[in-house]
């Protein structure tokens, strides 16, 4: 029969061997996976000079902010004076003649020279009065305070729905002009399509 002293010795050797094996496995496996992170210079495209998370851009006229643009990420190219943006929210301040406007988009570009903004991907425009526009692309022309697109636009205001190809929206007056292929309907009317 095996004595209790030999059993304790065997258990101690087994525990020590297991601990050494675990430490060796962790050390070997950890050293292969702990590669150095890629240098920042290789993470950015060649033409990008600076990348910013949670970037804010403003257009100021006569000492007042006309709009504020917030992007989750902005990559700035100094040679073209263009910032490539993602996850965009653009807010236009209320004026004496019109309410505030909020615009969201998946991505876009901001030109620091012209102050124009090109919005791309799931562009959603909402005015303070409840007017809603949805399209895939819209350009904000700063010199004219104008949104414009040649893409399909879905417009909704209360019971009115309108689908058109192409639109211009004056930010100051908040008057929209639809360009072609216009199909409109009023909810609750018999002629609504």
């Amino acid at each position: 029969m095996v004595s209790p002293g030999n059993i304790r010795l065997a258990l101690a050797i087994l525990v020590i061997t297991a601990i050494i094996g675990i430490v060796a496995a962790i050390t070997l496996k950890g050293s292969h996976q702990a590669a150095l992170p890629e240098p920042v210079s290789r993470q950015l495209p060649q033409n990008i000079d600076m990348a910013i998370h949670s970037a804010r851009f403003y257009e100021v006229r006569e000492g007042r902010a006309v709009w504020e643009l917030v992007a989750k990420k902005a990559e700035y190219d100094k040679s073209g004076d263009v910032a490539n943006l993602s996850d965009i929210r653009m807010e236009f301040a209320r004026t004496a003649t019109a309410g505030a406007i909020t615009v969201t988009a998946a991505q876009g570009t901001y030109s620091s020279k012209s102050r124009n903004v090109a919005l791309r991907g799931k562009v959603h425009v909402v005015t303070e009065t409840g007017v809603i526009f949805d399209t895939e692309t819209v350009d904000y022309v700063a010199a004219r305070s104008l949104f414009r697109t040649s893409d399909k636009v879905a417009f909704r205001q209360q019971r009115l729905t309108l689908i058109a190809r192409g639109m211009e929206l004056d930010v100051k007056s908040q008057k929209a002009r639809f360009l072609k292929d216009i199909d409109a309907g009023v909810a609750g009317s018999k002629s609504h399509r």
Side-chain angles (χ1 to χ4, degrees):
M1 196 157 147
V2 180
S3 72
N6 288 339
I7 292 174
R8 285 187 190 140
L9 180 61
L11 284 174
I13 292 172
L14 184 63
V15 169
I16 291 173
T17 305
I19 291 172
I20 292 172
I22 291 170
V23 169
I26 291 171
T27 303
L28 291 175
K29 193 171 189 177
S31 66
H32 292 292
Q33 290 181 345
L36 294 175
E38 186 177 6
V40 173
S41 61
R42 287 195 207 137
Q43 294 174 5
L44 298 175
Q46 290 284 357
N47 61 332
I48 299 302
D49 297 303
M50 178 180 5
I52 304 169
H53 288 278
S54 298
R56 290 182 185 274
F57 297 86
Y58 297 90
E59 180 179 350
V60 177
R61 290 186 193 157
E62 298 171 6
R64 297 187 63 213
V66 176
W67 54 257
E68 173 188 25
L69 184 149
V70 179
K72 187 174 182 179
K73 183 178 180 184
E75 296 177 339
Y76 186 69
D77 173 10
K78 280 194 255 185
S79 65
D81 279 336
V82 172
N84 299 309
L85 312 168
S86 63
D87 293 328
I88 301 166
R89 181 177 183 87
M90 192 173 184
E91 303 218 0
F92 287 80
R94 172 181 256 220
T95 66
T97 58
I101 298 175
T102 301
V103 184
T104 58
Q107 57 191 4
T109 57
Y110 169 71
S111 169
S112 59
K113 284 181 183 176
S114 65
R115 299 182 330 267
N116 293 343
V117 182
L119 301 165
R120 303 292 180 258
K122 296 182 182 171
V123 180
H124 183 69
V125 180
V126 179
T127 69
E128 192 173 294
T129 59
V131 175
I132 298 171
F133 297 95
D134 288 301
T135 186
E136 280 302 306
T137 67
V138 111
D139 294 323
Y140 172 69
V141 182
R144 296 177 55 203
S145 294
L146 179 79
F147 282 112
R148 71 174 171 212
T149 184
S150 57
D151 284 349
K152 180 180 171 184
V153 178
F155 165 91
R156 291 180 304 285
Q157 182 180 22
Q158 297 173 352
R159 294 179 26 206
L160 176 66
T161 59
L162 183 139
I163 306 289
R165 179 144 318 270
M167 175 197 76
E168 291 182 347
L169 171 66
D170 185 299
V171 173
K172 292 177 184 174
S173 68
Q174 293 189 9
K175 290 184 180 178
R177 185 169 75 99
F178 299 96
L179 305 180
K180 59 183 177 180
D181 301 334
I182 300 167
D183 183 23
V186 178
S189 71
K190 292 182 181 182
S191 64
H192 179 69
R193 294 180 196 178

